[in-house]
Amino acid sequence: QCLLSGSWRSDTGCRMVVFTVGKDGSFSGSYLPGAAVDNSQILSSPLKGSQQDVGLVLQPIFSFTVHWQHRDSDTTQMSVFLGQCYVGTNGEETLHALWLLREASDSPTEDWKATR
């Protein structure tokens, strides 16, 4: 069974901590991108998400949103992550996820460059 609660580290040095997952699958935690090691402007940022019921599937789908915290208060960014938790044959849990980053844009004409 794959459980999201705990501490996770990506291949690129990102660190995610997920607090206890509720009975309804909701969870919260914190996220610090690997780039933050070299960029003191990025702070550990709060995350909120939801996980598929592990009683129904052993390798659940999950999603979460990170509202980025920057020392520069004028910067507004959010990311969404969507993925699945897998349990390997050796019992090791791994997360596979895709993400989108959205920055606030000043106008609809600038919208095209606001999502990565």
Side-chain angles (χ1 to χ4, degrees), residues 66-85:
V66 176
H67 182 203
W68 296 107
Q69 303 294 312
H70 296 267
R71 291 192 198 286
D72 172 9
S73 62
D74 293 338
T75 303
T76 303
Q77 297 177 321
M78 293 183 84
S79 290
V80 293
F81 292 76
L82 177 65
Q84 188 166 359
C85 187

PDB file of all heavy atoms in Angstrom, residues 66-85:
ATOM      1  N   VAL A  66       0.530  24.011  -4.803  1.00  0.00           N
ATOM      2  CA  VAL A  66       1.523  24.727  -4.007  1.00  0.00           C
ATOM      3  C   VAL A  66       1.353  26.216  -4.296  1.00  0.00           C
ATOM      4  O   VAL A  66       1.354  26.627  -5.461  1.00  0.00           O
ATOM      5  CB  VAL A  66       2.969  24.299  -4.358  1.00  0.00           C
ATOM      6  CG1 VAL A  66       3.974  25.138  -3.579  1.00  0.00           C
ATOM      7  CG2 VAL A  66       3.176  22.824  -4.090  1.00  0.00           C
ATOM      8  N   HIS A  67       1.159  26.997  -3.251  1.00  0.00           N
ATOM      9  CA  HIS A  67       1.118  28.450  -3.376  1.00  0.00           C
ATOM     10  C   HIS A  67       2.494  28.949  -2.970  1.00  0.00           C
ATOM     11  O   HIS A  67       2.844  28.955  -1.794  1.00  0.00           O
ATOM     12  CB  HIS A  67       0.031  29.038  -2.477  1.00  0.00           C
ATOM     13  CG  HIS A  67      -0.098  30.518  -2.602  1.00  0.00           C
ATOM     14  ND1 HIS A  67      -0.628  31.287  -1.622  1.00  0.00           N
ATOM     15  CD2 HIS A  67       0.239  31.364  -3.589  1.00  0.00           C
ATOM     16  CE1 HIS A  67      -0.599  32.554  -1.997  1.00  0.00           C
ATOM     17  NE2 HIS A  67      -0.082  32.621  -3.187  1.00  0.00           N
ATOM     18  N   TRP A  68       3.297  29.353  -3.961  1.00  0.00           N
ATOM     19  CA  TRP A  68       4.693  29.687  -3.722  1.00  0.00           C
ATOM     20  C   TRP A  68       4.846  30.912  -2.845  1.00  0.00           C
ATOM     21  O   TRP A  68       4.183  31.923  -3.040  1.00  0.00           O
ATOM     22  CB  TRP A  68       5.434  29.895  -5.046  1.00  0.00           C
ATOM     23  CG  TRP A  68       5.470  28.641  -5.842  1.00  0.00           C
ATOM     24  CD1 TRP A  68       4.754  28.360  -6.969  1.00  0.00           C
ATOM     25  CD2 TRP A  68       6.213  27.457  -5.544  1.00  0.00           C
ATOM     26  NE1 TRP A  68       5.020  27.090  -7.390  1.00  0.00           N
ATOM     27  CE2 TRP A  68       5.911  26.513  -6.536  1.00  0.00           C
ATOM     28  CE3 TRP A  68       7.108  27.109  -4.541  1.00  0.00           C
ATOM     29  CZ2 TRP A  68       6.475  25.233  -6.559  1.00  0.00           C
ATOM     30  CZ3 TRP A  68       7.666  25.840  -4.560  1.00  0.00           C
ATOM     31  CH2 TRP A  68       7.356  24.920  -5.564  1.00  0.00           C
ATOM     32  N   GLN A  69       5.731  30.806  -1.881  1.00  0.00           N
ATOM     33  CA  GLN A  69       6.065  31.898  -0.980  1.00  0.00           C
ATOM     34  C   GLN A  69       7.434  32.433  -1.380  1.00  0.00           C
ATOM     35  O   GLN A  69       8.406  31.688  -1.406  1.00  0.00           O
ATOM     36  CB  GLN A  69       6.108  31.401   0.472  1.00  0.00           C
ATOM     37  CG  GLN A  69       4.818  30.744   0.938  1.00  0.00           C
ATOM     38  CD  GLN A  69       3.665  31.711   1.007  1.00  0.00           C
ATOM     39  OE1 GLN A  69       3.791  32.794   1.546  1.00  0.00           O
ATOM     40  NE2 GLN A  69       2.544  31.319   0.442  1.00  0.00           N
ATOM     41  N   HIS A  70       7.494  33.723  -1.687  1.00  0.00           N
ATOM     42  CA  HIS A  70       8.738  34.388  -2.085  1.00  0.00           C
ATOM     43  C   HIS A  70       9.021  35.534  -1.124  1.00  0.00           C
ATOM     44  O   HIS A  70       8.108  36.142  -0.572  1.00  0.00           O
ATOM     45  CB  HIS A  70       8.613  34.976  -3.500  1.00  0.00           C
ATOM     46  CG  HIS A  70       8.417  33.957  -4.558  1.00  0.00           C
ATOM     47  ND1 HIS A  70       9.457  33.413  -5.267  1.00  0.00           N
ATOM     48  CD2 HIS A  70       7.299  33.376  -5.049  1.00  0.00           C
ATOM     49  CE1 HIS A  70       8.989  32.546  -6.150  1.00  0.00           C
ATOM     50  NE2 HIS A  70       7.683  32.499  -6.032  1.00  0.00           N
ATOM     51  N   ARG A  71      10.284  35.810  -0.958  1.00  0.00           N
ATOM     52  CA  ARG A  71      10.643  36.991  -0.163  1.00  0.00           C
ATOM     53  C   ARG A  71      10.127  38.254  -0.840  1.00  0.00           C
ATOM     54  O   ARG A  71       9.755  39.201  -0.194  1.00  0.00           O
ATOM     55  CB  ARG A  71      12.153  37.067   0.024  1.00  0.00           C
ATOM     56  CG  ARG A  71      12.696  35.976   0.906  1.00  0.00           C
ATOM     57  CD  ARG A  71      14.119  36.236   1.316  1.00  0.00           C
ATOM     58  NE  ARG A  71      14.749  35.024   1.798  1.00  0.00           N
ATOM     59  CZ  ARG A  71      14.513  34.458   2.976  1.00  0.00           C
ATOM     60  NH1 ARG A  71      13.653  35.004   3.799  1.00  0.00           N
ATOM     61  NH2 ARG A  71      15.127  33.350   3.335  1.00  0.00           N
ATOM     62  N   ASP A  72      10.074  38.243  -2.173  1.00  0.00           N
ATOM     63  CA  ASP A  72       9.532  39.352  -2.954  1.00  0.00           C
ATOM     64  C   ASP A  72       8.009  39.188  -2.979  1.00  0.00           C
ATOM     65  O   ASP A  72       7.476  38.357  -3.695  1.00  0.00           O
ATOM     66  CB  ASP A  72      10.101  39.311  -4.373  1.00  0.00           C
ATOM     67  CG  ASP A  72       9.454  40.304  -5.308  1.00  0.00           C
ATOM     68  OD1 ASP A  72       8.669  41.156  -4.846  1.00  0.00           O
ATOM     69  OD2 ASP A  72       9.725  40.237  -6.518  1.00  0.00           O
ATOM     70  N   SER A  73       7.299  39.972  -2.203  1.00  0.00           N
ATOM     71  CA  SER A  73       5.853  39.793  -2.057  1.00  0.00           C
ATOM     72  C   SER A  73       5.077  40.127  -3.326  1.00  0.00           C
ATOM     73  O   SER A  73       3.899  39.826  -3.424  1.00  0.00           O
ATOM     74  CB  SER A  73       5.335  40.638  -0.893  1.00  0.00           C
ATOM     75  OG  SER A  73       5.577  42.005  -1.152  1.00  0.00           O
ATOM     76  N   ASP A  74       5.717  40.761  -4.332  1.00  0.00           N
ATOM     77  CA  ASP A  74       5.022  41.084  -5.577  1.00  0.00           C
ATOM     78  C   ASP A  74       4.872  39.872  -6.495  1.00  0.00           C
ATOM     79  O   ASP A  74       4.133  39.917  -7.462  1.00  0.00           O
ATOM     80  CB  ASP A  74       5.771  42.189  -6.326  1.00  0.00           C
ATOM     81  CG  ASP A  74       5.720  43.512  -5.583  1.00  0.00           C
ATOM     82  OD1 ASP A  74       4.807  43.690  -4.751  1.00  0.00           O
ATOM     83  OD2 ASP A  74       6.609  44.354  -5.822  1.00  0.00           O
ATOM     84  N   THR A  75       5.583  38.804  -6.210  1.00  0.00           N
ATOM     85  CA  THR A  75       5.540  37.607  -7.048  1.00  0.00           C
ATOM     86  C   THR A  75       4.374  36.723  -6.630  1.00  0.00           C
ATOM     87  O   THR A  75       4.245  36.371  -5.464  1.00  0.00           O
ATOM     88  CB  THR A  75       6.855  36.817  -6.918  1.00  0.00           C
ATOM     89  OG1 THR A  75       7.928  37.690  -7.264  1.00  0.00           O
ATOM     90  CG2 THR A  75       6.863  35.611  -7.823  1.00  0.00           C
ATOM     91  N   THR A  76       3.505  36.382  -7.594  1.00  0.00           N
ATOM     92  CA  THR A  76       2.368  35.512  -7.324  1.00  0.00           C
ATOM     93  C   THR A  76       2.448  34.310  -8.256  1.00  0.00           C
ATOM     94  O   THR A  76       2.327  34.465  -9.466  1.00  0.00           O
ATOM     95  CB  THR A  76       1.035  36.260  -7.539  1.00  0.00           C
ATOM     96  OG1 THR A  76       1.018  37.403  -6.704  1.00  0.00           O
ATOM     97  CG2 THR A  76      -0.139  35.369  -7.207  1.00  0.00           C
ATOM     98  N   GLN A  77       2.677  33.136  -7.691  1.00  0.00           N
ATOM     99  CA  GLN A  77       2.782  31.901  -8.470  1.00  0.00           C
ATOM    100  C   GLN A  77       2.099  30.757  -7.726  1.00  0.00           C
ATOM    101  O   GLN A  77       2.121  30.710  -6.499  1.00  0.00           O
ATOM    102  CB  GLN A  77       4.242  31.499  -8.689  1.00  0.00           C
ATOM    103  CG  GLN A  77       5.057  32.457  -9.483  1.00  0.00           C
ATOM    104  CD  GLN A  77       6.505  32.002  -9.579  1.00  0.00           C
ATOM    105  OE1 GLN A  77       7.074  31.487  -8.630  1.00  0.00           O
ATOM    106  NE2 GLN A  77       7.101  32.202 -10.737  1.00  0.00           N
ATOM    107  N   MET A  78       1.508  29.854  -8.506  1.00  0.00           N
ATOM    108  CA  MET A  78       0.953  28.611  -7.965  1.00  0.00           C
ATOM    109  C   MET A  78       1.326  27.490  -8.917  1.00  0.00           C
ATOM    110  O   MET A  78       1.460  27.704 -10.117  1.00  0.00           O
ATOM    111  CB  MET A  78      -0.563  28.685  -7.828  1.00  0.00           C
ATOM    112  CG  MET A  78      -1.034  29.669  -6.786  1.00  0.00           C
ATOM    113  SD  MET A  78      -2.815  29.652  -6.595  1.00  0.00           S
ATOM    114  CE  MET A  78      -2.992  28.287  -5.470  1.00  0.00           C
ATOM    115  N   SER A  79       1.482  26.301  -8.371  1.00  0.00           N
ATOM    116  CA  SER A  79       1.713  25.105  -9.184  1.00  0.00           C
ATOM    117  C   SER A  79       0.692  24.053  -8.794  1.00  0.00           C
ATOM    118  O   SER A  79       0.279  23.964  -7.636  1.00  0.00           O
ATOM    119  CB  SER A  79       3.109  24.520  -8.952  1.00  0.00           C
ATOM    120  OG  SER A  79       4.096  25.341  -9.494  1.00  0.00           O
ATOM    121  N   VAL A  80       0.304  23.253  -9.780  1.00  0.00           N
ATOM    122  CA  VAL A  80      -0.531  22.091  -9.520  1.00  0.00           C
ATOM    123  C   VAL A  80       0.259  20.855  -9.941  1.00  0.00           C
ATOM    124  O   VAL A  80       0.998  20.882 -10.927  1.00  0.00           O
ATOM    125  CB  VAL A  80      -1.883  22.142 -10.265  1.00  0.00           C
ATOM    126  CG1 VAL A  80      -2.748  23.258  -9.721  1.00  0.00           C
ATOM    127  CG2 VAL A  80      -1.700  22.285 -11.752  1.00  0.00           C
ATOM    128  N   PHE A  81       0.150  19.815  -9.150  1.00  0.00           N
ATOM    129  CA  PHE A  81       0.819  18.548  -9.414  1.00  0.00           C
ATOM    130  C   PHE A  81      -0.252  17.467  -9.500  1.00  0.00           C
ATOM    131  O   PHE A  81      -1.209  17.478  -8.720  1.00  0.00           O
ATOM    132  CB  PHE A  81       1.776  18.191  -8.278  1.00  0.00           C
ATOM    133  CG  PHE A  81       2.972  19.094  -8.164  1.00  0.00           C
ATOM    134  CD1 PHE A  81       2.860  20.362  -7.621  1.00  0.00           C
ATOM    135  CD2 PHE A  81       4.219  18.656  -8.585  1.00  0.00           C
ATOM    136  CE1 PHE A  81       3.963  21.190  -7.499  1.00  0.00           C
ATOM    137  CE2 PHE A  81       5.331  19.480  -8.470  1.00  0.00           C
ATOM    138  CZ  PHE A  81       5.204  20.750  -7.925  1.00  0.00           C
ATOM    139  N   LEU A  82      -0.090  16.541 -10.429  1.00  0.00           N
ATOM    140  CA  LEU A  82      -1.003  15.411 -10.583  1.00  0.00           C
ATOM    141  C   LEU A  82      -0.162  14.180 -10.840  1.00  0.00           C
ATOM    142  O   LEU A  82       0.726  14.197 -11.701  1.00  0.00           O
ATOM    143  CB  LEU A  82      -1.958  15.653 -11.756  1.00  0.00           C
ATOM    144  CG  LEU A  82      -2.926  14.530 -12.095  1.00  0.00           C
ATOM    145  CD1 LEU A  82      -3.913  14.315 -10.946  1.00  0.00           C
ATOM    146  CD2 LEU A  82      -3.661  14.844 -13.381  1.00  0.00           C
ATOM    147  N   GLY A  83      -0.382  13.136 -10.069  1.00  0.00           N
ATOM    148  CA  GLY A  83       0.442  11.959 -10.248  1.00  0.00           C
ATOM    149  C   GLY A  83      -0.122  10.722  -9.601  1.00  0.00           C
ATOM    150  O   GLY A  83      -1.298  10.656  -9.231  1.00  0.00           O
ATOM    151  N   GLN A  84       0.748   9.749  -9.461  1.00  0.00           N
ATOM    152  CA  GLN A  84       0.371   8.469  -8.866  1.00  0.00           C
ATOM    153  C   GLN A  84       1.509   7.970  -7.995  1.00  0.00           C
ATOM    154  O   GLN A  84       2.686   8.182  -8.302  1.00  0.00           O
ATOM    155  CB  GLN A  84       0.052   7.441  -9.956  1.00  0.00           C
ATOM    156  CG  GLN A  84      -0.538   6.157  -9.408  1.00  0.00           C
ATOM    157  CD  GLN A  84      -1.153   5.288 -10.487  1.00  0.00           C
ATOM    158  OE1 GLN A  84      -1.165   5.631 -11.660  1.00  0.00           O
ATOM    159  NE2 GLN A  84      -1.661   4.144 -10.086  1.00  0.00           N
ATOM    160  N   CYS A  85       1.153   7.318  -6.911  1.00  0.00           N
ATOM    161  CA  CYS A  85       2.099   6.720  -5.993  1.00  0.00           C
ATOM    162  C   CYS A  85       2.218   5.231  -6.337  1.00  0.00           C
ATOM    163  O   CYS A  85       1.202   4.538  -6.444  1.00  0.00           O
ATOM    164  CB  CYS A  85       1.590   6.902  -4.561  1.00  0.00           C
ATOM    165  SG  CYS A  85       2.738   6.376  -3.284  1.00  0.00           S
TER     166      CYS A  85
END
